[in-house]
Amino acid sequence: MDRETMRKISEHPCYDKNAQHKFGRIHLAVAPKCNIQCNYCDRKFDCVNESRPGVTSEILTPQEALEKTRQVLKDHPFIKVVAVAGPGDPLANDETFETLELIRNEFPDVTLCLSTNGLALPEKMDELLRVGVSTLTVTLNAIDPKIQAQIVDHISYKGKYYTGVEAAEILIANQLEGIEKAVKAGMVIKVNTVLIPEINKDHIIEVAKKIREMGVFIMNIMPLICQAKFADMEPPSNEVRKEMQDSCEPYVQQMRHCRQCRSDAYGLIGKDLSQMSEERRNVIKMESIEKKDHSE
């Protein structure tokens, strides 16, 4: 990797475990629409004190997102990554690209990041490169369509609605093609895989082997949050998750410090400023400014 790519990794709290204590990220919730429905997904609004993907207190317009970024980066200069992670799929929302272009034009030194289910990734790759996205997360829960069909209820692709194995085949093909294109384009890729003990536990190592072949940088095995159609399932224990991470580590680096952040989170991982009191945010703001002044 070149020096600039290594710098971005070293300042990205998801990609470098050491960065999580020094550098932060901001998620901009500008993407409410989604093109697939996973059986474990329940996107909600105004869920106070709930930390999980898909949760946000409000949907921002691109201009509102820019204004929020201005204020957050001013108050908290340790934040180096600006990302769009939902609450739907960023690639299914034109507002994602408008937002990222606004951010890039005003803050050319920040790392632009995006999380996607990958369905639209091949066709949106040129747009991602145009707006300057350099770190990318793709959720890949299975590479076997029969397993994926148990996880995804349906997809909406090119004006058509697909279910079952047919939907799974389209989704997996696009995810893999998109990852391949992203790696070739020089993006640093993280794969998120939701560990669903009853469905994909014994299959995840095959995912790890596949993404190693493709040049994925890091893998994040996330525990199932039991909700939506999977509300009655049992989540994996910490021991089971660690066992899976240990089994996959020989093939691809494992992210072990994920906190499954909200779609509007900002700050350090595990210290979401969006959920803190104004008083506490002001304390952290002053500490952040003092550290910046001292370093200069």
Side-chain angles (χ1 to χ4, degrees):
M1 293 183 182
D2 59 44
R3 182 174 297 179
E4 179 63 11
T5 300
M6 293 302 296
R7 179 192 68 80
K8 289 180 178 180
I9 291 172
S10 69
E11 293 181 350
H12 198 307
C14 298
Y15 287 68
D16 187 328
K17 64 180 180 180
N18 296 316
Q20 65 174 312
H21 305 298
K22 298 183 291 184
F23 301 111
R25 80 288 180 244
I26 176 172
H27 288 172
L28 301 173
V30 298
K33 297 189 292 291
C34 197
N35 47 13
I36 76 174
Q37 179 59 58
C38 297
N39 288 325
Y40 54 71
C41 185
D42 185 9
R43 295 182 294 276
K44 291 182 178 179
F45 297 84
D46 297 319
C47 296
V48 179
N49 296 323
E50 186 175 3
S51 182
R52 63 172 174 81
V55 175
T56 183
S57 294
E58 62 179 338
I59 298 296
L60 303 176
T61 66
Q63 190 60 45
E64 289 170 340
L66 175 62
E67 292 168 3
K68 180 176 180 178
T69 302
R70 283 176 184 152
Q71 190 61 51
V72 167
L73 295 186
K74 177 183 176 183
D75 293 346
H76 309 289
F78 63 87
I79 291 178
K80 303 295 184 181
V81 178
V82 178
V84 178
D89 187 77
L91 300 186
N93 295 262
D94 292 338
E95 292 82 359
T96 295
F97 302 101
E98 183 179 348
T99 299
L100 293 175
E101 188 165 26
L102 289 171
I103 300 298
R104 182 199 60 184
N105 290 340
E106 188 159 333
F107 303 100
D109 294 331
V110 302
T111 295
L112 295 184
C113 189
L114 182 139
S115 297
T116 177
N117 59 47
L119 178 62
L121 188 53
E123 63 190 79
K124 297 293 185 179
M125 183 57 60
D126 289 344
E127 277 288 278
L128 290 175
L129 295 173
R130 181 184 66 80
V131 298
V133 172
S134 57
T135 58
L136 180 71
T137 294
V138 181
T139 298
L140 181 64
N141 294 323
I143 55 174
D144 182 334
K146 292 180 180 178
I147 295 175
Q148 181 74 290
Q150 300 175 61
I151 300 171
V152 174
D153 181 81
H154 64 265
I155 69 170
S156 177
Y157 183 60
K158 294 187 176 181
K160 286 189 172 184
Y161 182 92
Y162 299 89
T163 61
V165 172
E166 185 179 20
E169 288 174 341
I170 294 170
L171 178 56
I172 292 170
N174 286 15
Q175 290 169 327
L176 296 180
E177 180 185 351
I179 291 171
E180 182 180 25
K181 284 188 173 183
V183 170
K184 286 183 178 178
M187 290 185 181
V188 186
I189 310 300
K190 174 165 69 73
V191 161
N192 282 353
T193 301
V194 179
L195 171 55
I196 309 168
E198 297 178 36
I199 297 176
N200 68 349
K201 177 178 177 291
D202 297 329
H203 176 65
I204 287 179
I205 194 167
E206 300 304 321
V207 176
K209 291 176 181 178
K210 180 64 177 179
I211 62 177
R212 176 194 175 152
E213 294 173 6
M214 302 181 74
V216 167
F217 179 74
I218 193 168
M219 181 184 198
N220 178 22
I221 298 175
M222 306 167 64
L224 171 70
I225 297 174
C226 300
Q227 58 186 6
K229 288 190 175 181
F230 287 173
D232 296 328
M233 284 189 173
E234 288 293 324
S237 65
N238 291 334
E239 292 75 18
V240 168
R241 183 186 179 206
K242 183 179 183 302
E243 176 188 329
M244 292 306 308
Q245 291 169 327
D246 292 345
S247 296
C248 294
E249 186 82 62
Y251 303 100
V252 60
Q253 180 183 178
Q254 295 294 301
M255 179 187 178
R256 298 176 185 258
H257 57 282
C258 177
R259 296 295 180 269
Q260 294 182 280
C261 304
R262 292 166 55 102
S263 296
D264 57 2
Y266 69 94
L268 298 175
I269 289 180
K271 297 181 180 179
D272 184 0
L273 291 169
S274 74
Q275 298 303 291
M276 291 183 183
S277 66
E278 187 68 27
E279 181 180 4
R280 179 59 181 154
R281 282 201 296 266
N282 285 334
V283 170
I284 294 176
K285 170 184 173 181
M286 295 308 299
E287 291 175 347
S288 177
I289 293 173
E290 288 173 4
K291 286 181 180 178
K292 181 185 179 183
D293 292 342
H294 180 72
S295 66
E296 293 175 348

